[in-house]
Each structure stands twice: as C-alpha cells, then as structure tokens.
Amino acid sequence: SSSSSPSFPLRVSNPLTLLAADNDDYDEKPREECGVVGIYGDSEASRLCYLALHALQHRGQEGAGIVTVSKDKVLQTITGVGLVSEVFSESKLDQLPGDIAIGHVRYSTAGSSMLKNVQPFVAGYRFGSVGVAHNGNLVNYTKLRADLEENGSIFNTSSDTEVVLHLIAISKARPFFMRIVDACEKLQGAYSMVFVTEDKLVAVRDPHGFRPLVMGRRSNGAVVFASETCALDLIEATYEREVYPGEVLVVDKDGVKCQCLMPHPEPKQCIFEHIYFSLPNSIVFGRSVYESRHVFGEILATESPVDCDVVIAVPDSGVVAALGYAAKAGVAFQQGLIRSHYVGRTFIEPSQKIRDFGVKLKLSPVRGVLEGKRVVVVDDSIVRGTTSSKIVRLLREAGAKEVHMRIASPPIIASCYYGVDTPSSNELISNRMSVDEIRDYIGCDSLAFLSFETLKKHLGEDSRSFCYACFTGDYPVKPTEDKVKRGGDFIDDGLVGGIHNIEGGWVR
Amino acid sequence: AGTYVTNVDEDDKLHEECGVVGIHGDPEASRLSYLALHALQHRGQEGAGIVAANQNGLESITGVGLVSDVFTESKLNNLPGDIAIGHVRYSTSGASMLKNVQPFIASCKLGSLAVAHNGNFVNYKQLKTKLEEMGSIFITSSDTELVLHLIAKSKAKTFLLRVIDACEKLRGAYSMVFVFEDKLIAVRDPFGFRPLVMGRRSNGAVVFASETCALDLIDATYEREVCPGEIVVVDRNHGDSSMFMISHPEQKQCVFEHGYFSQPNSIVFGRSVYETRRMYGEILATVAPVDCDVVIAVPDSGTVAALGYAAKAGVPFQIGLLRSHYAKRTFIEPTQEIRDFAVKVKLSPVRAVLEGKRVVVVDDSIVRGTTSLKIVRMLRDAGAKEVHMRIALPPMIASCYYGVDTPRSQELISSKMSVEAIQKHINCDSLAFLPLDSLKGVYGPVESHRYCYACFTGKYPVTKTESEEADAS
C-alpha cells in the first residue's frame, strides 16, 4: 500500500511579533542608551570618530552616526541603522572630510530602530549650523516640547534631544556657547552632549553628572571627548580628565576654554556605569570599572557566603564580580556558562517551542563544570527575573546539585529617568517581591544581593556623588512626567514599512 | 584618503573550515538546521547553507555571511520538509564565493543528492584530473564537489554502495552528511580527523552535527559519536542502521578540536572540551612554573587553559584582556598608522589588572607569532612589569592537510625558530609550550594513539601526495 504524503506544517508569523517576543529576553538587562564622541583638530576626524564609536558599541548597537565640518564649513552627516561597522564603509567615511567630528551610537528603546532618530542631529538656524549628540534623558522633555510647539517650533523626531536644538535656536544669548548655557539652564535630567559648529567643538555635562564624559588628547594635539576611556584608548588619545558635572568646554583654534553651568552641591553619577554599562577596562567617574566590580564581588562573598564547589558567572558583565567573589571565598572560578557572540537582535525560532529558547541561544552550560556541584552563579543585576529563572533551570538541567545566585548590585526597585531604558517600576521584580519570594520565583537554593549600605560604605566619601534612584526610589531630579521613550512614541514616526525600507534613506 | 582596509582576521589563529548538520524526521528540519548551524558559527563565519528534502525534491538556500545574515523567516519558509542538511564555512581566501558555499546539490542517474562536508581530500587534484579526463566538469573550486562526481560515476547499484565506493577512493579527512530521497546519511573517514556526533530529539528525529553544542540548542540528546569509518543511514522505513568501511587500526582525530576549534561546552571525540583544555593549562603550570602575580588569557579560546594554569599555580586569574565582539573581519583604519591597530581593535588591556604586575598570559597556540608580539607590547604598554607567555599546545611546526586552514610550514614560526628565539622575537620575559609528551599524557597511553599530531611533528597519517589545491571544506 502507498503511504500518504507527509504534511508540512509551517509557521507564518508577524515579524513584529518575533521582535516583541525576542525583546523579552533583551529587556532583562537595563540598557544604556547612547555613546558619544567628539574630535577636534585631527585631519582624520571622521575615521577616528568611527573607531571611537566602535569602542563604544556596547553602549548601543542599533544606530550610529557621524557629523563632520568640511573645508567650506558645511556640516555633513552620515547616519544609519545597525552596528558601526555596518553603517560605515571606506567610501562613506571618504565623504566626511574635515578635522572636527562628532559621533553617536544608539540603542533603540522600541522594537525597531528608526533612522530619523539616529543622531547626531543637525539643524540650521539664524547664525549657522549646529550638530549635537546626546547621552542621557531630559525629564522635562514633554513640557519643553509643548512650549516650543506653542511658539511655532516643529519637530522632526521623537527624540528628546531635538529640544536642545530648538532651545539653542530661540536663545537670544551670544556667543554660541552662551546659547548652549541658556538652553541647558532650561533642561532637567541627564545629559552628556557634544556639539559641533562650523569652527567649534563643545562638550557639556549636566550638573548632576549622571552619564560619563571624558576628555583626552592625541599626540598631535587633537582634543577628544568620549563617553568612556576605552574609546580614547583605541585611537591613542591619552585620558586627561573627566568633563565635570555642570561644565561646558569649548574647543576652537584658540584652544580649550572651560565654563561652568549652575553648580550643584552634589553630583549624582550613575552607579550602574560601574555595575553593568561601561567596559571593565574603562575609567568612569575617575574610578576603574574593573576594580569596582571585583570589589562588589568580594563584598558579596563576605556578606553572603555559602558552602559551594564552584563559582561561575553570567557572562560577560557578571564575570569580574564572580572573580572577586571566588577569590574572597577561596573557591575556584570556572566558566560554567559560555556566551554566544553571534546572536543578532532578532532570531527565528521553531514554532514547536524549545523551552527557554532565548536564553539557550545565548548561553550554553558547561556540564563538565556543573555536574554534581554546588554552584554559586554571580550576575550583576536582576530586572524582571525571567532570565534568572531560565538560567537557574539551565544550570540544574546541566547537572548542578545546588544553585546559589549572588547579585552584585542592590535590588532594583525603581525605574530610571536619566537615560537608562528600564521597565516601569511595577515591572521590576524587586519592587513587588521580597528576596525570599524572588528566590522561590527563580527557583534557586539561595539568593543574595549586594547590600545598599555596604555599597555606599565602599564608595566612602564619593558615595554622595552617585545616583541610587533605582535602588531607593529617591530621585535627585523629580520626574515630572512619565518616561519619555516608550514604544508607543514611535507609532506615529511616519516611517512606513520595516527596517528594510531604511536602506535607501541615508540622511545627508 | 588612502584605501586602507585591515583584514583583522589575518592573524595568528588557525581556522576550522566547516561545520555540518543533518536532521531526519522533524517537520521543522530546516529551522532546526538553521539553529544548529548558528550553534556551530564558531566553525565558520563566511558562508552558510541549508538543503531540505520535500515533495518537490531538494531545495537549497545558501549565502555569504553569518547564519543570521543568510537566513530569514521567509527563506526558511521556502525550505519545507522533514529532512535537511546544513553547512557553515570559513573561507580560506580573502573573499567568499557563493558558488563554494555548501551544501552542494547534484543530479545523477539515481536521482538528486546533496552533501555537506567538513575536512579535506589530500588526493583531490589527482582524482579531479582523472575525473576530468573521463568527461566530468567542475563548477566550484571546492574539493567536496569531487564526492558528487565519484558517486555519479560509480557503477554500484544502490546509492549507499555508491557512497562506499566513492569513500574508498578518497584520502584525507571527511565528516559528511548526505541527503538522498528519504534518507539521511552520515559518513566519517576511517581516521576520524574531524568530529561528527549523533543525537535524537524527543519526537524521534535523528540529528547529526559536528559538535554536541548544536544538539544542545535544539533539544537533541547526545547519543554517541559517528565512529571513524562508519556510515550511518537513516530512513523513514528502517530507522537508522550503520556499517563500516575498511576499518583502520588507528584513529587520528584532530587534537586541535580540543585545543582550539570546538566550543568548551561540547563533547568532542567522547571527551569534554572544557575539561581537556583545563588539563592542558594545569599541566603547563606544572612543567613551566614562574613567579607571577596574576594569570590572564588571550580571550576567548585561551581562557579555560588559563583557569587551569592559575588554579594549579595558586595564583589569581583575572580578565586582563577584553575582546570586542563587534569587530568584523575587515575594518577601516586611519591612514596615520595606529600602532598594532589590528590587535587593538579586537583586544583591550585592563590596566587595573596589569599595572605593576608580573603577568602570565596563556594562549592556545602561536602560528606566525605576529599577534603574540603585539599582545606582549600591549600588555607592557598597559603597565605589566613582566610578561610570561604560556602556550597550551606544543609548538606547531607543520601545516595541516585535513581541513584546517594553516599557513605553509615555512611560515610557522616554530618551524624555523627555537623557543628561545621566539621568546626574543615576541619580546616576552619567558615562553613555554605544552610539551608533546605531556599532551599525550592527558589522553593516556591507549587513547593518545587515536589523535593526529601531524602539526606538531610533521608526521602525517595520510601520506601527503600533493600540495593543497582545493578550497577545503
């Protein structure tokens, strides 16, 4: 007898659904939302800017852009969606001659990136052109935008950064840097920004200093600004100092001039730069990120010891704290979880659900390290808790006898309004559950966080210079409105179709 | 501006030249192949392809780039069927050629077949010449195409016998998967140079893959290795069955699969890659100790050996070098030379770990020595007081002809310099390699005979009858 032909059930799904589904795994970590670069006085400013942006790729992977000033004083822009290495090519960089440049990398807070929201932004106004790249978040954006629109301004993007350009344009102050000061006095929230005009590079940091911004110099005298020192390192710029909270630096043919905005009695630098965002080889807020993380791990081992056979990390950002924990505990550190570095933002999955697929795609357990062992797994933070529960399950399925989770930061109970994409407060697991309840939820044998008091004690005299709003709910600048960057904001951006339509839309 | 494009991958590492996947009996075979290929991406990043068998015959999609670049939802929807094979490829030349991306499909008298191959045929040129004299034409520069011709030319009556007939003519390394009609066939050469494992999903689907990490991702349970010289046939009616070609008294599995190529979480040749690599590091600490303050690794592949070294030496392991995971194969560099640019774009030193310290840096191998030189300089520039380099494999003195892209023997620094001379050349304070006898000691007296050490000794299990001509698969 003949057998019937087999049927081939196929999944046909909405790509947006895939994006949304995949986002769940990505939303498990807080997201830095930008890296910025500025270069003055180097004939290859755009190339160096491109390399510096590459070094800051961990701060944003969804969009990148560079603006340069040509010999005839025109601001030229190339921006695109994707990684730095995808957006720029040799021929594109050749279209960006000039010895002044600013650049930006961006992480999108919505499911897909929009080209028009990719910075740097450039605008023409009465006295010339200005470009800006911004890391941070302006908490009074909505009100400022409404006021500006009331007075006749029109907006082309849904980015809060655009209000800065409008404020500069309407300012009556002179010279240029005073317009920037005038604009900044109206802003509330977090901003580390670089501006470029026909002949100047300007760097600004908000009075609280939420987001990092450093200054360096190349051996040819060129001045460089960047979010992190790792960008200076790659382009052989020597780290000189931080841009101070509230400082405005103007670089032109006469050198570097400093001005101060409203001084503030206490800087409020983002502690998460040390916990998670910055690269371990960077110096941020004047301190080594590596040393901070190592100490966080050591403190955890002192505060929350447990009998175990091996210490492992959730790679990559949990590794340094795990090394600190292991060293202090006198237990071997092993690579119990291997991270895949080939995973793109979205991934096609089978319609028959593979359990914990999103985590399995990125993390692989090493059975040889885990089987029969009492395991301490160190991570830098817990946000919603969904990824943590999958990791615990992954470890148990790979043979771990016990799984003890140690988190190298305090519980996150509140959302951030200063440039970090966090879920709203009520989505944060630590906002709703006690430590014991979270432990039960994620299924580990024990759970401990770095204690907030010990974190502050470790920071010593500097402790007052950091923002802890996400651990305490006490905001240095009161959020006066809901979070600006939400998925819904992008619905009416006016761009029809998906990302593939963007390819031909380079802004020039 | 000049036209400076640095090929940042043209550095001191060997490259595996393929990963293969085969799936039989799952309605989503092509999707699962795609995921399994993703898990094997470390075995090749330049091209990927999948062939699925369905009512319309064999359908293929191949492309240049990463798995996630080549395949989309809609493309996979164009590959229905419950049998699929897949391939990832690393190009041995500066640019990838779409025509060389496998799996290859061909039609012959018996019907259509497809093949994906990991390995290299050392008698490719000789067989190609003979086949061309008999009227065959070659469309690719890949040695794998040879197999299709040999199968087509064979006078044996069944497909399986034709495969055996073809394999008996081949010399060198091959782990291959074929799809023909409703059959999936896996073949491994008698020496077992390249890995090939078998697994099963809970729905009964049979999976073959180069490494167990591919099985893990798609929830297939590792069952066993495909044995050297074995041919496994899976079909709808008879399940899986196996037979052996001419058996060979000694297997010659590639020791570099443990030293460098495979993922640490894989089981290769029946052994945990992680545990094996860690043992290399521990032994190195025993045979080549040095007073130091910190042990670091050249990431990522040197990390596990460095952990072994540090544990044995009783010295802290730290992350002294960070690897950028965003560096592509080519990178645009400034015309004003940034010193050691190609290394700097991929590796960053952590000054906090290195400054003022006596550092042991563990790497898995040295090929030409160019990257090692730059790494030592980078570490010193970041403040290291001393730099002691420890290599967790023996010195490589000879090229590989079995599917590993190696420079010619005379380009290998260890084939022309002593350890002391290399130490001076790369400017470290001391240098030591894992001795070959110690490497064999990891496996023990019986198992050690089952590995190929040709790149460390120059003694080839399969006689090298010609220089490598094909783009190995």
Side-chain angles (χ1 to χ4, degrees):
Chain A
S1 64
S2 64
S3 59
S4 61
S5 302
S7 61
F8 300 99
L10 290 177
R11 168 176 167 148
V12 177
S13 64
N14 184 335
L16 215 52
T17 303
L18 276 183
L19 290 170
D22 278 329
N23 266 336
D24 189 52
D25 289 312
Y26 282 84
D27 283 347
E28 189 55 32
K29 287 296 173 189
R31 295 284 175 177
E32 180 60 74
E33 286 173 20
C34 296
V36 301
V37 171
I39 298 178
Y40 182 97
D42 197 296
S43 58
E44 287 195 297
S46 65
R47 277 169 186 259
L48 295 173
C49 197
Y50 150 85
L51 290 172
L53 291 176
H54 163 73
L56 298 174
Q57 191 81 86
H58 59 289
R59 297 182 76 88
Q61 298 97 46
E62 300 299 329
I66 295 177
V67 171
T68 55
V69 183
S70 66
K71 280 176 182 169
D72 48 359
K73 302 302 179 185
V74 173
L75 269 60
Q76 303 171 126
T77 307
I78 293 182
T79 56
V81 168
L83 298 177
V84 174
S85 58
E86 290 162 353
V87 173
F88 294 101
S89 62
E90 180 87 27
S91 59
K92 285 197 165 98
L93 289 179
D94 286 345
Q95 297 174 51
L96 293 173
D99 63 356
I100 314 176
I102 62 173
H104 191 259
V105 287
R106 174 175 190 258
Y107 175 80
S108 169
T109 55
S112 60
S113 296
M114 298 296 178
L115 179 59
K116 66 181 186 180
N117 283 345
V118 179
Q119 298 179 31
F121 295 151
V122 173
Y125 72 118
R126 278 175 294 168
F127 299 102
S129 294
V130 56
V132 61
H134 168 216
N135 174 198
N137 186 46
L138 306 173
V139 301
N140 60 341
Y141 159 71
T142 302
K143 182 177 189 308
L144 287 172
R145 177 170 169 155
D147 289 348
L148 286 159
E149 284 175 339
E150 184 70 25
N151 285 284
S153 301
I154 60 174
F155 281 72
N156 297 311
T157 74
S158 55
S159 168
D160 55 335
T161 306
E162 193 179 345
V163 297
V164 182
L165 294 175
H166 286 284
L167 292 174
I168 288 170
I170 67 173
S171 169
K172 296 184 168 40
R174 358 170 44 132
F176 177 71
F177 92 85
M178 285 305 298
R179 286 172 180 261
I180 292 181
V181 173
D182 197 21
C184 289
E185 284 174 355
K186 297 181 171 66
L187 302 176
Q188 292 177 24
Y191 47 94
S192 286
M193 296 190 284
V194 288
F195 295 88
V196 61
T197 65
E198 288 87 354
D199 63 344
K200 290 178 173 61
L201 174 66
V202 182
V204 180
R205 196 159 163 226
D206 72 79
H208 293 86
F210 287 111
R211 310 248 69 83
L213 190 62
V214 294
M215 178 177 170
R217 215 175 282 259
R218 298 192 88 227
S219 59
N220 63 359
V223 176
V224 183
F225 296 107
S227 296
E228 284 180 54
T229 60
C230 58
L232 306 180
D233 295 341
L234 180 57
I235 61 173
E236 295 192 327
T238 305
Y239 168 61
E240 194 160 297
R241 64 174 175 86
E242 295 228 304
V243 175
Y244 301 123
E247 187 174 25
V248 181
L249 287 167
V250 180
V251 192
D252 60 17
K253 63 185 196 313
D254 299 322
V256 183
K257 293 188 288 277
C258 316
Q259 300 287 341
C260 285
L261 290 168
M262 304 163 287
H264 190 275
E266 287 179 351
K268 291 298 174 189
Q269 304 166 133
C270 177
I271 189 65
F272 248 87
E273 292 284 350
H274 281 253
I275 290 169
Y276 176 77
F277 296 133
S278 297
L279 284 188
N281 57 314
S282 280
I283 296 168
V284 169
F285 309 140
R287 302 168 75 101
S288 160
V289 172
Y290 191 100
E291 284 174 345
S292 289
R293 285 182 195 169
H294 201 270
V295 170
F296 295 162
E298 289 173 1
I299 294 169
L300 261 180
T302 301
E303 292 187 322
S304 308
V306 64
D307 287 335
C308 62
D309 304 308
V310 66
V311 175
I312 71 171
V314 178
D316 286 315
S317 54
V319 171
V320 178
L323 286 169
Y325 188 104
K328 193 62 136 180
V331 176
F333 169 84
Q334 298 274 17
Q335 258 190 333
L337 287 166
I338 306 282
R339 184 178 158 201
S340 165
H341 294 287
Y342 296 108
V343 188
R345 180 84 189 275
T346 62
F347 224 83
I348 302 158
E349 74 178 278
S351 53
Q352 306 163 37
K353 190 72 181 177
I354 289 177
R355 193 162 67 145
D356 300 334
F357 175 74
V359 166
K360 279 181 174 171
L361 202 57
K362 290 180 282 185
L363 295 176
S364 304
V366 183
R367 183 170 286 269
V369 167
L370 303 166
E371 195 147 35
K373 301 287 174 43
R374 298 168 301 174
V375 176
V376 163
V377 52
V378 181
D379 202 351
D380 48 78
S381 56
I382 294 184
V383 183
R384 287 193 182 84
T386 49
T387 296
S388 302
S389 66
K390 291 169 182 171
I391 288 170
V392 171
R393 187 152 57 224
L394 205 59
L395 296 174
R396 292 204 197 278
E397 283 172 6
K401 189 161 70 170
E402 292 172 17
V403 179
H404 302 277
M405 186 154 267
R406 294 292 180 267
I407 308 300
S409 65
I412 301 172
I413 64 162
S415 198
C416 177
Y417 293 85
Y418 311 126
V420 176
D421 176 30
T422 21
S424 56
S425 294
N426 55 13
E427 294 175 86
L428 300 166
I429 194 168
S430 293
N431 183 283
R432 303 182 272 124
M433 290 185 186
S434 67
V435 174
D436 288 347
E437 287 167 334
I438 299 173
R439 182 198 67 219
D440 291 342
Y441 174 82
I442 67 185
C444 54
D445 294 284
S446 73
L447 168 67
F449 291 81
L450 181 67
S451 86
F452 181 55
E453 292 308 318
T454 308
L455 170 62
K456 290 207 291 182
K457 186 173 5 175
H458 159 68
L459 294 169
E461 291 180 8
D462 283 347
S463 69
R464 288 151 53 104
S465 301
F466 286 92
C467 175
Y468 310 103
C470 53
F471 307 134
T472 62
D474 300 328
Y475 292 97
V477 181
K478 299 301 178 198
T480 55
E481 54 198 52
D482 286 335
K483 288 177 69 80
V484 173
K485 296 185 173 78
R486 288 170 178 266
D489 287 352
F490 296 88
I491 289 174
D492 61 352
D493 271 353
L495 188 63
V496 179
I499 291 176
H500 60 279
N501 287 0
I502 292 174
E503 186 59 34
W506 302 112
V507 173
R508 300 209 180 276
Chain B
T3 53
Y4 290 78
V5 177
T6 302
N7 190 330
V8 296
D9 249 17
E10 280 299 337
D11 61 6
D12 249 1
K13 287 302 171 193
L14 304 182
H15 295 282
E16 180 62 73
E17 287 173 16
C18 293
V20 301
V21 169
I23 298 178
H24 185 286
D26 196 296
E28 288 195 301
S30 64
R31 277 171 186 255
L32 295 172
S33 287
Y34 152 84
L35 291 170
L37 291 177
H38 163 74
L40 298 174
Q41 191 81 86
H42 59 287
R43 297 182 76 88
Q45 297 96 46
E46 301 300 328
I50 295 175
V51 167
N54 53 51
Q55 298 152 304
N56 302 322
L58 299 181
E59 294 185 305
S60 171
I61 293 181
T62 56
V64 169
L66 298 177
V67 175
S68 56
D69 299 326
V70 173
F71 295 101
T72 59
E73 179 89 26
S74 59
K75 278 180 173 159
L76 290 178
N77 287 340
N78 287 326
L79 292 173
D82 66 349
I83 309 174
I85 63 174
H87 191 261
V88 287
R89 175 174 188 260
Y90 178 82
S91 169
T92 55
S93 59
S96 295
M97 299 292 181
L98 181 57
K99 68 178 183 180
N100 283 347
V101 179
Q102 298 179 31
F104 293 153
I105 295 185
S107 292
C108 68
K109 196 185 321 180
L110 297 183
S112 291
L113 69 146
V115 62
H117 168 217
N118 173 199
N120 185 44
F121 301 130
V122 300
N123 60 342
Y124 163 72
K125 187 179 177 185
Q126 172 189 329
L127 286 173
K128 183 182 181 199
T129 300
K130 193 175 300 183
L131 284 161
E132 282 173 340
E133 285 169 0
M134 295 167 63
S136 300
I137 60 173
F138 283 72
I139 297 170
T140 74
S141 54
S142 167
D143 58 335
T144 305
E145 190 179 346
L146 202 62
V147 184
L148 298 174
H149 287 286
L150 290 174
I151 288 171
K153 281 277 194 275
S154 168
K155 299 204 167 27
K157 287 194 170 55
T158 68
F159 179 72
L160 179 57
L161 289 176
R162 286 180 178 228
V163 170
I164 296 173
D165 198 20
C167 289
E168 284 174 355
K169 296 182 169 65
L170 298 170
R171 292 169 60 75
Y174 47 94
S175 285
M176 297 190 283
V177 288
F178 295 89
V179 57
F180 174 74
E181 292 177 342
D182 67 338
K183 296 177 178 61
L184 173 65
I185 296 162
V187 181
R188 196 160 163 226
D189 72 79
F191 294 91
F193 287 110
R194 310 249 69 82
L196 190 62
V197 294
M198 180 175 173
R200 212 173 288 260
R201 298 192 87 226
S202 59
N203 63 358
V206 175
V207 183
F208 296 106
S210 295
E211 285 181 53
T212 61
C213 58
L215 307 180
D216 295 341
L217 181 57
I218 60 173
D219 280 349
T221 305
Y222 169 62
E223 195 160 293
R224 64 178 177 86
E225 294 228 303
V226 175
C227 300
E230 185 179 17
I231 303 178
V232 184
V233 181
V234 190
D235 71 24
R236 219 180 302 278
N237 299 316
H238 304 106
D240 59 278
S241 58
S242 81
M243 64 192 68
F244 283 82
M245 294 180 277
I246 300 170
S247 64
H248 191 275
E250 283 183 353
Q251 299 165 24
K252 292 297 174 188
Q253 303 168 133
C254 178
V255 75
F256 252 89
E257 291 285 351
H258 288 151
Y260 177 73
F261 295 134
S262 297
Q263 287 278 83
N265 56 308
S266 279
I267 295 169
V268 169
F269 309 140
R271 294 178 67 99
S272 161
V273 173
Y274 189 99
E275 286 173 333
T276 303
R277 227 171 256 184
R278 185 179 158 85
M279 287 172 71
Y280 294 168
E282 287 175 354
I283 292 171
L284 199 50
T286 301
V287 302
V290 65
D291 287 335
C292 63
D293 303 307
V294 66
V295 175
I296 71 171
V298 179
D300 286 313
S301 53
T303 300
V304 177
L307 285 167
Y309 189 104
K312 191 62 136 180
V315 175
F317 168 84
Q318 298 279 11
I319 307 287
L321 286 166
L322 290 177
R323 183 175 158 203
S324 165
H325 295 287
Y326 299 109
K328 290 297 177 64
R329 186 135 183 234
T330 60
F331 223 85
I332 302 160
E333 77 176 283
T335 52
Q336 307 160 39
E337 183 75 20
I338 287 180
R339 194 168 63 149
D340 299 335
F341 175 75
V343 167
K344 276 183 173 169
V345 79
K346 291 200 297 184
L347 294 177
S348 305
V350 184
R351 182 171 286 269
V353 166
L354 303 166
E355 194 146 36
K357 301 288 176 38
R358 297 167 301 173
V359 176
V360 163
V361 52
V362 180
D363 202 350
D364 46 78
S365 56
I366 294 184
V367 184
R368 290 186 183 86
T370 50
T371 296
S372 303
L373 170 73
K374 292 167 181 168
I375 287 170
V376 172
R377 183 153 59 217
M378 177 180 276
L379 296 174
R380 292 202 197 279
D381 285 350
K385 189 162 70 171
E386 292 172 16
V387 179
H388 301 277
M389 187 154 268
R390 294 293 179 267
I391 308 300
L393 284 169
M396 285 181 58
I397 65 162
S399 199
C400 176
Y401 295 91
Y402 310 124
V404 176
D405 176 31
T406 341
R408 294 186 305 274
S409 295
Q410 60 266 38
E411 292 176 65
L412 300 169
I413 195 169
S414 294
S415 76
K416 47 185 180 169
M417 286 187 188
S418 66
V419 174
E420 289 75 18
I422 297 172
Q423 178 202 320
K424 288 190 171 65
H425 178 259
I426 68 181
N427 193 31
C428 54
D429 294 283
S430 73
L431 168 67
F433 292 80
L434 183 68
L436 181 57
D437 285 345
S438 298
L439 173 61
K440 291 179 175 177
V442 169
Y443 298 108
V446 173
E447 190 185 345
S448 65
H449 287 101
R450 295 206 285 264
Y451 290 90
C452 175
Y453 307 101
C455 53
F456 309 129
T457 63
K459 294 171 183 145
Y460 294 96
V462 181
T463 305
K464 173 167 65 87
T465 57
E466 59 197 66
S467 60
E468 182 173 321
E469 293 273 349
D471 281 331
S473 314

